[in-house]
Structures are given as C-alpha cells and as structure tokens.
Amino acid sequence: MTLFRQSTAALPTMAVSNHSTELLIGLLVPPVLLGIFTARALADGLTQAGLVSEQWFAGERLPTLSMPPTPRDPAASHDTAGGG
C-alpha cells in the first residue's frame, strides 16, 4: 500500500490559493445577501401594493362597452344535439 505524498514546495502555493479563495468568498457574500434581502423586500412591497389596489378598486366596475353585433356563422347555428 503506497501513500500519496505532496511535495513541500506545493504547500505555500496551496496556502496562498486557499487564502485568496476565502477572501473572494468573503467579499462576495455581503452583496449576494444584500441582493436576496432587497429582492424579498421588493416582492413584499409589490404584494402589499397589489393588496392595497385590490381594496381600493373593490366595488368598482368597468364600463359596459357597446359592441356592434357580429354576423353569425350559419354552420355554427345548427343544433347538433337535438334529435334528427
């Protein structure tokens, strides 16, 4: 059984790489968390605005539009469900 051994020359490079990775993660976490909290607050605000507008327009009806009558299709006017 052989064990894998790393050379001692690779250790300082790995240590520098490890520190730079930790620094990068440490610098990127706050903006990501700020973005998540901002998106949640924006979604909650829009939901509340929707509820307020729903209560504001409760009971309001849209005006009835007068539409000209459309010509009927003669084939669609036949009753196929009746006996025959």
Side-chain angles (χ1 to χ4, degrees):
M1 178 165 70
T2 43
L3 297 175
F4 178 76
R5 292 185 183 183
Q6 291 182 343
S7 66
T8 56
L11 290 177
T13 306
M14 189 170 53
V16 169
S17 175
N18 191 16
H19 289 300
S20 63
T21 303
E22 289 179 4
L23 179 65
L24 182 64
I25 290 173
L27 290 175
L28 290 178
V29 166
V32 169
L33 289 176
L34 181 65
I36 290 171
F37 290 133
T38 302
R40 180 176 283 174
L42 182 63
D44 289 342
L46 290 174
T47 302
Q48 290 299 322
L51 292 173
V52 167
S53 69
E54 184 179 342
Q55 291 175 358
W56 189 23
F57 290 117
E60 297 284 329
R61 292 188 170 213
L62 294 174
T64 304
L65 298 176
S66 58
M67 301 289 290
T70 58
R72 293 188 172 192
D73 185 14
S77 65
H78 293 288
D79 187 21
T80 58

